[in-house]
Amino acid sequence: MAPVLPLVLPLQSRIRLAQGLWLLSWLLALAGVLTLLCSGHLLVQLQYLGTFLAPSCPFSALPQVALAAGAVALGTGLGGAGASRASLDAARYPPWRGILGPLLVAGTAGGGGLLVFALGLALGLPVSLDKGLEEGLGTALVHYKDTEVPGHCDAKRIMDELQLRHHCCGRHGYKDWFGVQWVSNRYLDPSDQEVVNRIQSNVEGLYLTDGVPFSCCNPHSPRPCLQSQLSDPYAHPLFDPRQPNLNLWAQGCHQVLLGHLQSLASTLGSILAVTFLLQALVLLGLRYLQTALEALGGVIDAEGEAQGYLFPGGLKDMLKTAWLQGGVAHRAAPEKTPPEEVPPKEDLPEA
């Protein structure tokens, strides 16, 4: 059976391959560290912003898979650097002969699979992230008033911090607050006729106003913040509804968070792509170096040329051999028939 992708490696080529692998392995280790840092940063961001994502949104799986992929890439890079450095010395290489095989298998199956999965998550999640933020922010607005409801006591504080930190208001704009009751019932006077009329005028019995929370106010506004009666053009003569950014944050939190998280995911995706490329190069180089040195008995400066390869035989031949070996192993052995007995020769009478 002919080897798969054979490559003839003279002495100088083997030495240059080992030296190049040492450099690529350290670059892979650096890429693994960057992957760990970037995915860790995204994970920390999601600890805070994950409240505004729907529970069904798979975006939170991205940093977790990327963390595992970065750890495997870091280990592969350090292992590749040690193996390529040791291969230049015949006295230091023998201990690595039993490590290279598991390292190649773990790097290819584990690291490669995790990197591909994480890269796919980074590139294929914008749609699910958009839907997750749409649903999550809508839920956050609805529970803004539930400061005394178990499980939602911090909803108001978290939403206020989001709007103040990211300079946004509502889900898509400040008018989103007009469609939800954001004032807690404990602050409403049930004897006030205006309050009663507003509640009775709503089908769901909600107290709706054309106002916004204080966290929507832009502190750079040249005038005091106007939070109520925003839809009445005569209530505030100096307020121009066509330019709300002079008084309120004009952008909705959906657009701000979507751009922020997509930027982090895009950066992580770029690092994952570079890490995947470096890991593929390191694993291919280590495999060629391993097979070439095994043919020389583990001595890189042995005389003559050595042939490196990916697999010892063609894929078709390997599968055929495995199938035949499996068939022979499971085939019942034929029953052995006892040899026929030769009848004894009768002594002839002497003439």
Side-chain angles (χ1 to χ4, degrees):
M1 293 183 294
V4 177
L5 296 178
L7 182 63
V8 178
L9 295 172
L11 174 59
Q12 294 299 323
S13 298
R14 296 195 298 269
I15 294 176
R16 285 196 295 268
L17 175 61
Q19 293 173 343
L21 277 176
W22 181 82
L23 178 59
L24 283 176
S25 297
W26 280 112
L27 291 177
L28 175 61
L30 178 60
V33 172
L34 292 177
T35 302
L36 290 175
L37 293 176
C38 189
S39 55
H41 175 64
L42 179 56
L43 191 62
V44 171
Q45 290 289 313
L46 286 180
Q47 292 291 331
Y48 164 66
L49 299 177
T51 309
F52 307 105
L53 283 174
S56 59
C57 182
F59 187 79
S60 57
L62 172 60
Q64 299 173 5
V65 177
L67 277 173
V72 175
L74 176 60
T76 304
L78 295 177
S84 56
R85 180 66 178 272
S87 65
L88 296 172
D89 187 353
R92 297 174 56 188
Y93 181 70
W96 286 92
R97 297 178 71 174
I99 301 176
L100 268 178
L103 177 65
L104 291 172
V105 173
T108 304
L114 287 172
L115 282 171
V116 171
F117 184 41
L119 187 58
L121 287 175
L123 298 178
L125 283 180
V127 177
S128 61
L129 179 60
D130 189 1
K131 295 180 180 178
L133 284 173
E134 186 76 18
E135 181 181 345
L137 284 170
T139 303
L141 264 66
V142 170
H143 293 295
Y144 183 84
K145 68 180 187 305
D146 299 332
T147 54
E148 297 180 350
V149 178
H152 303 289
C153 298
D154 296 330
K156 178 181 182 303
R157 176 185 60 81
I158 294 175
M159 190 65 195
D160 286 335
E161 290 179 355
L162 173 69
Q163 295 187 141
L164 289 171
R165 181 180 299 180
H166 292 274
H167 299 174
C168 60
C169 182
R171 181 164 50 178
H172 298 288
Y174 71 95
K175 290 184 178 181
D176 290 333
W177 289 106
F178 298 176
V180 297
Q181 179 182 341
W182 55 272
V183 180
S184 177
N185 290 327
R186 63 180 299 188
Y187 300 113
L188 299 178
D189 185 4
S191 61
D192 190 344
Q193 189 61 37
E194 181 182 356
V195 173
V196 175
N197 292 338
R198 284 185 178 275
I199 294 177
Q200 292 180 348
S201 64
N202 184 263
V203 178
E204 299 179 359
L206 301 177
Y207 179 78
L208 304 181
T209 64
D210 53 350
V212 296
F214 77 97
S215 53
C216 284
C217 293
N218 185 350
H220 305 292
S221 174
R223 61 179 67 90
C225 183
L226 306 177
Q227 297 176 243
S228 60
Q229 297 179 304
L230 297 178
S231 59
D232 187 357
Y234 303 103
H236 310 289
L238 298 181
F239 175 72
D240 188 359
R242 295 170 299 178
Q243 295 181 336
N245 57 331
L246 296 179
N247 187 72
L248 305 173
W249 301 120
Q251 280 189 319
C253 295
H254 179 276
Q255 179 182 358
V256 174
L257 291 184
L258 183 63
H260 178 63
L261 292 177
Q262 281 185 342
S263 176
L264 293 177
S266 177
T267 303
L268 180 57
S270 301
I271 297 177
L272 287 170
V274 175
T275 305
F276 177 78
L277 178 61
L278 288 173
Q279 183 154 325
L281 292 176
V282 168
L283 291 174
L284 285 174
L286 284 176
R287 178 57 176 167
Y288 276 108
L289 184 63
Q290 178 198 27
T291 52
L293 291 183
E294 289 300 321
L296 298 172
V299 181
I300 195 172
D301 55 353
E303 297 294 335
E305 297 179 346
Q307 187 183 60
Y309 52 82
L310 294 182
F311 302 103
L315 181 60
K316 181 178 179 180
D317 293 336
M318 290 175 60
L319 293 176
K320 182 179 179 181
T321 302
W323 174 265
L324 292 176
Q325 290 176 350
V328 171
H330 292 86
R331 188 183 305 157
E335 296 182 358
K336 295 183 179 180
T337 57
E340 296 182 357
E341 296 183 358
V342 180
K345 294 183 181 181
E346 297 181 357
D347 295 336
L348 298 175
E350 295 181 359

